[in-house]
Amino acid sequence: MVIRTLTDITRKQMYISYRKEYRAHVVMEAKNLNTLEFSVEFSIEMTPLGEKEVKVIVPDSVNYPVIPILRALKPYIHDLERNGHLP
């Protein structure tokens, strides 16, 4: 799985300072070279130990197994957040 882009990233209004929630549009390329486009919701939460935990939800039905999608998206989103590319 290769993530091509994560676009239209919007941050949801949250009143909790240790949790940020987002919506975005994902374009991925699967191993069989099919291009997948779908919406995704994800959150980044600061744990009590100071680590950041990424949770991803794919609300739409995708014509591909979800677990490989989640395994590719979580580190990608974590890197975006660490490098300051999220709103």
Side-chain angles (χ1 to χ4, degrees):
M1 302 284 317
V2 177
I3 300 172
R4 294 292 174 206
T5 60
L6 192 67
T7 59
D8 300 330
I9 302 171
T10 57
R11 185 173 171 185
K12 294 181 184 179
Q13 182 70 23
M14 293 292 296
Y15 298 104
I16 303 172
S17 62
Y18 59 87
R19 183 181 176 111
K20 299 175 187 174
E21 291 187 356
Y22 299 90
R23 289 185 182 146
H25 185 77
V26 180
V27 178
M28 298 179 83
E29 189 174 298
K31 288 185 179 181
N32 55 4
L33 300 178
N34 288 342
T35 302
L36 304 171
E37 296 185 31
F38 55 92
S39 298
V40 70
E41 295 179 4
F42 61 93
S43 66
I44 301 170
E45 185 172 340
M46 182 71 75
T47 66
L49 298 175
E51 299 173 0
K52 294 187 178 179
E53 182 178 293
V54 177
K55 294 180 183 177
V56 180
I57 299 172
V58 181
D60 300 332
S61 64
V62 179
N63 194 13
Y64 197 82
V66 178
I67 293 176
I69 292 173
L70 297 178
R71 284 186 182 158
L73 277 174
K74 284 183 180 183
Y76 186 83
I77 292 169
H78 193 7
D79 290 341
L80 284 177
E81 199 277 329
R82 184 178 17 203
N83 295 328
H85 295 293
L86 292 177

